[in-house]
Each structure stands twice: as structure tokens, then as C-alpha cells.
Amino acid sequence: VFLLLILCQMRRVLVPVKRVIDYTVKIRVRPDKLGVEKTNVKMSINPFCEIAMEQALRLREARLVEEVVAVSVGPAKTQETLRYAMAMGADRSVHIETSPHMETDTDIQPLAVSKLLAKIVEKEQPILVMMGKQSIDDDCNQTGQMLAGGLGWPQACFASELQFLDDDWVQIMREVDGGAQKLKIKLPAVVTADLRLNEPRYATLPNIVKARKKPIEILTADDLGVKIESKIKIISMVEPPPRQSGTIVESVKELHEQLKAIGAI
């Protein structure tokens, strides 16, 4: 009972992370046109999740929080991403393991992920959920908002700055169309990270070795009482058409004539 009380009182940040195709890889559509090719393709932590993890670690280093916990949903290989998060500095991880046949970019969708994360929030009792604004595979940009709505917590999306004002309030600068918006929100809260929030650190070799000894708690959706259902079905996926080459013009008059010829003006 005493240990449980300590865990509940600890100021903790929960950081959801996702395993995605590395951003440097050229994406290829599968022959069946129902997804992208992942066989023998380099996978990495989602860049926005990496930024969120960096911010959580900076909060711990500033002694504003005491523990950083990474969580991820996906098949067994997802643990590679969690190990990387712990190599960056996360204290421990939670893996919600799914069937190896479930695709994290198509079958495991934001609504189901938000419900699973809500159960982890209930279990871990963090003061802050710090997560990427979106993943670069499905680009949904929905999970953070759905999680905050399900929990009834304040939310601040697309954060480019984060500052603790005191133990109960944080100030967020968020990017919006045409400028920036400054928000003050009460903890506990959900914050999603934008690209300019920080520059993530590299996981060093010694820390990668240390991460192998850090604990990963493995759960399933059934353990959490959540049913993973696909609400959207992919009908067809095609590659974008190749970009047409441009034309160099010698004068404004020639530019005007060419634009008029193609019906642009």
C-alpha cells in the first residue's frame, strides 16, 4: 500500500511513442495497393514522438517531474522503439502488444489508441501526457485530441514552447494559422509537440546498452479491457504522380504568355 501511494504521488510524464518507417526511406506502395511496403524497410521512432520525449526528459532534468514513462502500441518489434526511448533517457516503458498481423498505420487507428492510452493514464497517474502532434505514416493528428477529450483533461496541441509556471499550471506557445497563440492550462493535461519545440538528443552507445536492462511492462488490449476495432477501411492507395519538370523563362512577358497558354491565367 505504501509503495502504491508513492507511485501515485510521483510527478510523472507519460510519453506515447510510435514505430514508423524512417523518414529518410522512400515509400513504396505494395502491389495490392492496400498499404505501403514494410518488408526489409528501416523503422524508427516517429520524429514528433522523439521531440515529445526530449521535452519530457528536459522537464525531468529541470526537476519539474520525477519520472518519464514511454508507452507504445504495436507488435513485438515495437519494443525496439521503446528501447530507443529508454536509451534517450526514459526511466521505463509500457508495451501494449498487438497481433503481428495488425498494421500500426492502418489497422490500429487513433480512437483505439486513445482508449488504450486512457487506461494507461488511469494506471500510471501522470501529471502530463507529452506526445507528438501526429505520426508521419498516417498523418492523422487525432490521438492527442481524442485522449484529452476522453479523459476530460485540458489540451494544448502543436506546442512550440512549454514552460511550467508552478506545480499546477503550464504555459504553452502553440502555432496556429497566421501566428502563435499563448495558452495557460491546468495540470493534469495533454500536450502535443510541434517540430520547433526542441531538437532531440542522440541516444549514445552507453545509454543504448543501459536501456537493455530497463524494464518494459507488457500488456494487451484485453488486459486493459479495450477492443481494437478498425473504423476506417483502406480501399486503395496509390503513389503521387511524378512531378513535371519546370521551364526557365527569359522575361515576365514570356512567363505571362506561357501561363496564358496553359490556362493558368
Side-chain angles (χ1 to χ4, degrees):
V1 175
F2 179 68
L3 177 61
L4 180 62
L5 183 61
I6 291 175
L7 289 174
C8 290
Q9 291 177 339
M10 183 177 288
R11 289 174 67 83
R12 179 179 296 112
V13 180
L14 186 70
V15 185
V17 296
K18 187 176 183 182
R19 183 174 183 262
V20 299
I21 295 176
D22 189 88
Y23 71 93
T24 61
V25 172
K26 179 175 172 56
I27 303 298
R28 292 180 292 112
V29 176
R30 295 199 315 245
D32 63 7
K33 298 190 183 300
L34 295 178
V36 298
E37 189 61 63
K38 299 187 183 72
T39 305
N40 299 323
V41 171
K42 182 183 178 183
M43 307 293 284
S44 301
I45 186 173
N46 178 52
F48 291 105
C49 299
E50 191 175 15
I51 292 168
M53 176 58 68
E54 173 64 29
Q55 193 64 36
L57 296 174
R58 292 185 184 189
L59 293 175
R60 190 190 61 194
E61 289 165 355
R63 300 190 177 185
L64 296 169
V65 300
E66 298 165 271
E67 187 180 38
V68 176
V69 181
V71 58
S72 192
V73 182
K77 288 187 176 181
T78 299
Q79 291 191 21
E80 297 172 5
T81 301
L82 290 171
R83 291 288 177 200
Y84 183 83
M86 291 189 292
M88 287 183 68
D91 297 288
R92 57 186 174 89
S93 294
V94 179
H95 178 205
I96 305 171
E97 190 169 1
T98 62
S99 163
H101 304 295
M102 296 195 78
E103 301 280 359
T104 54
D105 58 338
T106 53
D107 300 323
I108 306 174
Q109 295 166 4
L111 181 60
V113 174
S114 69
K115 290 179 179 179
L116 292 167
L117 292 179
K119 293 294 184 180
I120 299 299
V121 167
E122 183 180 324
K123 176 176 176 292
E124 296 288 346
Q125 295 293 303
I127 62 164
L128 177 66
V129 177
M130 188 78 222
M131 58 196 300
K133 69 172 184 178
Q134 65 193 75
S135 61
I136 62 171
D137 51 5
D138 57 23
D139 275 333
C140 282
N141 182 20
Q142 296 172 337
T143 307
Q145 293 90 325
M146 289 179 173
L147 175 60
L151 294 171
W153 283 12
Q155 62 175 299
C157 302
F158 323 129
S160 56
E161 292 179 22
L162 184 150
Q163 179 185 0
F164 270 61
L165 300 176
D166 53 38
D167 288 345
D168 298 315
W169 292 88
V170 292
Q171 181 175 284
I172 306 293
M173 184 73 76
R174 61 186 300 265
E175 298 185 1
V176 296
D177 291 342
Q181 182 183 58
K182 186 181 290 185
L183 299 178
K184 178 181 173 183
I185 59 175
K186 186 173 176 62
L187 298 173
V190 176
V191 175
T192 69
D194 209 340
L195 189 64
R196 280 162 286 279
L197 181 58
N198 60 55
E199 185 175 338
R201 69 194 69 187
Y202 290 104
T204 62
L205 182 58
N207 287 335
I208 291 172
V209 174
K210 290 177 184 177
R212 296 173 185 168
K213 298 180 181 179
K214 291 184 179 181
I216 296 181
E217 181 182 4
I218 301 175
L219 302 170
T220 66
D222 289 339
D223 294 333
L224 299 172
V226 176
K227 186 176 181 181
I228 298 178
E229 294 180 294
S230 297
K231 301 292 185 180
I232 300 172
K233 181 179 179 181
I234 302 295
I235 297 174
S236 178
M237 186 177 293
V238 296
E239 294 185 11
R243 184 176 179 179
Q244 296 181 350
S245 59
T247 302
I248 298 177
V249 296
E250 299 295 335
S251 65
V252 174
K253 181 180 179 181
E254 186 181 350
L255 173 63
H256 181 270
E257 289 173 351
Q258 291 206 19
L259 289 175
K260 190 173 182 180
I262 64 174
I265 57 174

